[in-house]
Amino acid sequence: MSVITVNEAISQALAEEMRRDPAVLMFGEGVATKRANLVAEFGAARVRNTPLAEGIIAGTAVGAAATGLRPIVDLLFAPFLCFAMDEIVNSAGKLRYLSGGQFKFPMVVMAMSGAGWTVGAQHNHNLEAWFVHSPGLKVVMPSSAADFKGLLKAAIRDDNPVLFFMDLALGYQAGEVPAGEVLVPLGRAATLREGRDVSLISYAKTVHHCVAAAETLAARGISAEVIDLRSLKPLDEAAILASARKTGRVVVVHEASRLCGVGAEIAAFVGEHAFGALKAPVRRLTGPDAPAPASWPLEQAFVPQADAIAAAALELVAARRSAGPSPRPSTEGAVSMQA
């Protein structure tokens, strides 16, 4: 094991895959500038800066993928994906199907999002659910250095377009990364903590808030299981159901807003397939339906924190199974409302 930051893990994954496969290339906004080590090793032909033209960048990647290359494009911030929706959704996501499988589109689109850098609403907007709703695309959003490395390597090797979202707050977070080849299969969740009383299901930075909440709950005699989804599409449905049936109580946590989010899909899926095992309604804790603030204290209030997660879990554990859902304040933006 070595202890490295998330940013270092990403750099390792990129360099290793470019050494392994000469078809891998990378271009995007500021790529050659911030990844000078890759330019030095692989040359300007494989690592290129581009104009600030997201649609052109993504469209070039689609064409390159169709010819057999494996492009990785960095569009910086997730809201900038709005300028490349046609190329990513209508071309990359659909052309393999429309061609009857004659073409593959192995490309990775990287973008940052989430609170932590106070970059404001036009640079911070968790859009992952948009792409989960788009056929033909895969979506990942890791929480640890090891998973950033392993999932990025797996995404580069996948024959389908993959949206690789990087939580802004995690870039300088350090973690253990195994030496040698590290591959994390897309579509496989990780159980970070075993539990028997309640399941805390999350992804990206709020995974760490769930772990902190589980420690608080343990001090109260409540055993919380923590599931890190890692991949949002494909979703590890088996892991979700196994945990829900085991504990009978589920809290889904994410920074993105509540309406039609990933948490809504998980809540519906658990309700459809594990209803008989539930001891309480599925609870969602999310960010509010509002633009992200550019103030550090407000950003932190915007994101579901450990104390709110622990409080929601305590409510579920205290609820009797026979007592149906009772009226309660919305948990959307619960932390910001408290603040």
Side-chain angles (χ1 to χ4, degrees), residues 33-51:
T33 305
K34 67 182 178 182
R35 303 201 183 278
N37 62 310
L38 297 181
V39 179
E41 182 172 353
F42 303 106
R46 292 179 68 190
V47 186
R48 300 179 179 230
N49 281 334
T50 66

Side-chain angles (χ1 to χ4, degrees), residues 98-114:
L98 293 175
S99 71
Q102 296 179 77
F103 294 95
K104 298 176 182 178
F105 292 88
M107 57 181 277
V108 177
V109 179
M110 303 176 70
M112 298 182 290
S113 189

Side-chain angles (χ1 to χ4, degrees), residues 101-222:
Q102 296 179 77
F103 294 95
K104 298 176 182 178
F105 292 88
M107 57 181 277
V108 177
V109 179
M110 303 176 70
M112 298 182 290
S113 189
W117 280 11
T118 65
V119 294
Q122 292 182 318
H123 292 74
N124 171 17
H125 187 178
N126 285 75
L127 304 175
E128 57 271 13
W130 288 13
F131 298 96
V132 170
H133 293 164
S134 302
L137 303 178
K138 297 185 178 182
V139 183
V140 298
M141 202 163 179
S143 71
S144 69
D147 286 343
F148 268 92
K149 182 174 182 178
L151 283 167
L152 181 53
K153 288 170 69 71
I156 293 169
R157 299 185 192 188
D158 200 282
D159 285 335
N160 299 284
V162 180
L163 276 293
F164 192 90
F165 287 104
M166 303 167 289
D167 197 311
L168 278 165
L170 300 180
Y172 293 96
Q173 178 176 286
E176 290 187 338
V177 177
E181 182 80 333
V182 179
L183 279 177
V184 177
L186 304 187
R188 185 176 299 175
T191 301
L192 302 187
R193 185 180 180 121
E194 296 278 353
R196 63 180 181 275
D197 296 322
V198 62
S199 300
L200 308 179
I201 301 176
S202 188
Y203 59 90
K205 76 158 66 70
T206 48
V207 167
H208 302 283
H209 300 174
C210 287
V211 171
E215 293 170 356
T216 298
L217 292 167
R220 301 281 297 270
I222 296 170

Side-chain angles (χ1 to χ4, degrees), residues 242-309:
S243 185
R245 288 169 175 156
K246 176 182 178 183
T247 67
R249 305 175 183 91
V250 175
V251 180
V252 191
V253 186
H254 54 67
E255 183 176 346
S257 58
R258 177 186 179 91
L259 186 64
C260 298
V262 173
E265 171 61 25
I266 293 172
F269 180 75
V270 170
E272 289 172 2
H273 298 280
F275 182 77
L278 292 179
K279 303 171 184 175
V282 177
R283 182 75 65 87
R284 287 176 289 160
L285 284 176
T286 73
D289 183 17
S295 152
W296 170 261
L298 290 178
E299 265 197 339
Q300 299 313 299
F302 191 89
V303 182
Q305 300 290 342
D307 55 351
I309 299 168

